[in-house]
Amino acid sequence: AVVSTQSTGKAHRKLALRWHPDKNKDNAEEAHKVYQVIQEAYDCLSDPQEKAFYDKHREQILRGGSDHKSEDINVMAFYGSSSYNGFTDEPDGFYNVYNDLFVEISQEDQRYVDAGDWEEPPLFGTSTTDFEEVRQFYNW
């Protein structure tokens, strides 16, 4: 079903007010997580390019890529903040989760490159990685 920008905005405002952490002080942690998902959904659906991508891959995104049948990495499982827990260096934190993902992608890519042509990519980094090192990752 096609959803208008106006109805998306109206639904977002209603849910954002309901789940805003300031309005749920007795359940602030859960409210914060739900509010974050609401914000991500709105950001996606209010951007025409993001919405087009979402519309094209909706079922796979909603199932977390559960219909993934290839032995390749299922990157759909990493789409959105539900794949990490906070912007930390903890094992389930943003930096560790995505660093591990990019290392795994690199190892997968290496299988398809001639040994003499392989160039080791820079690491994704951590919360304390110097900006110049981070820039190397994004410029690679």
Side-chain angles (χ1 to χ4, degrees):
V2 176
V3 178
S4 72
T5 304
Q6 184 179 13
S7 63
T8 299
K10 186 176 178 180
H12 168 258
R13 281 187 295 282
K14 182 178 177 181
L15 287 170
L17 284 172
R18 178 178 174 196
W19 284 99
H20 195 282
D22 290 346
K23 294 194 180 258
N24 292 278
K25 293 192 185 288
D26 58 328
N27 195 9
E29 189 173 328
E30 180 186 7
H32 176 75
K33 288 179 182 179
V34 172
Y35 185 78
Q36 190 174 12
V37 170
I38 292 166
Q39 288 302 116
E40 285 182 18
Y42 180 72
D43 289 346
C44 173
L45 296 174
S46 62
D47 179 294
Q49 289 178 321
E50 288 285 327
K51 185 175 183 317
F53 179 86
Y54 174 81
D55 289 343
K56 184 175 180 181
H57 300 93
R58 180 180 182 275
E59 292 303 316
Q60 192 173 11
I61 291 168
L62 291 176
R63 287 192 304 272
S66 63
D67 62 347
H68 187 77
K69 294 178 177 42
S70 170
E71 61 185 56
D72 295 334
I73 300 164
N74 178 14
V75 295
M76 296 307 286
F78 295 90
Y79 189 80
S81 65
S82 62
S83 60
Y84 60 89
N85 186 20
F87 290 95
T88 69
D89 295 316
E90 297 297 317
D92 63 345
F94 175 84
Y95 295 98
N96 199 32
V97 167
Y98 285 100
N99 189 60
D100 289 351
L101 172 64
F102 291 124
V103 166
E104 192 175 347
I105 289 170
S106 173
Q107 290 168 347
E108 183 176 288
D109 287 350
Q110 192 173 9
R111 296 188 325 218
Y112 302 102
V113 176
D114 292 332
D117 294 334
W118 178 251
E119 179 184 338
E120 195 67 37
L123 294 176
F124 179 67
T126 67
S127 63
T128 59
T129 301
D130 180 67
F131 178 71
E132 287 306 314
E133 288 182 58
V134 173
R135 182 184 297 204
Q136 290 175 20
F137 172 81
Y138 285 102
N139 287 339
W140 191 75

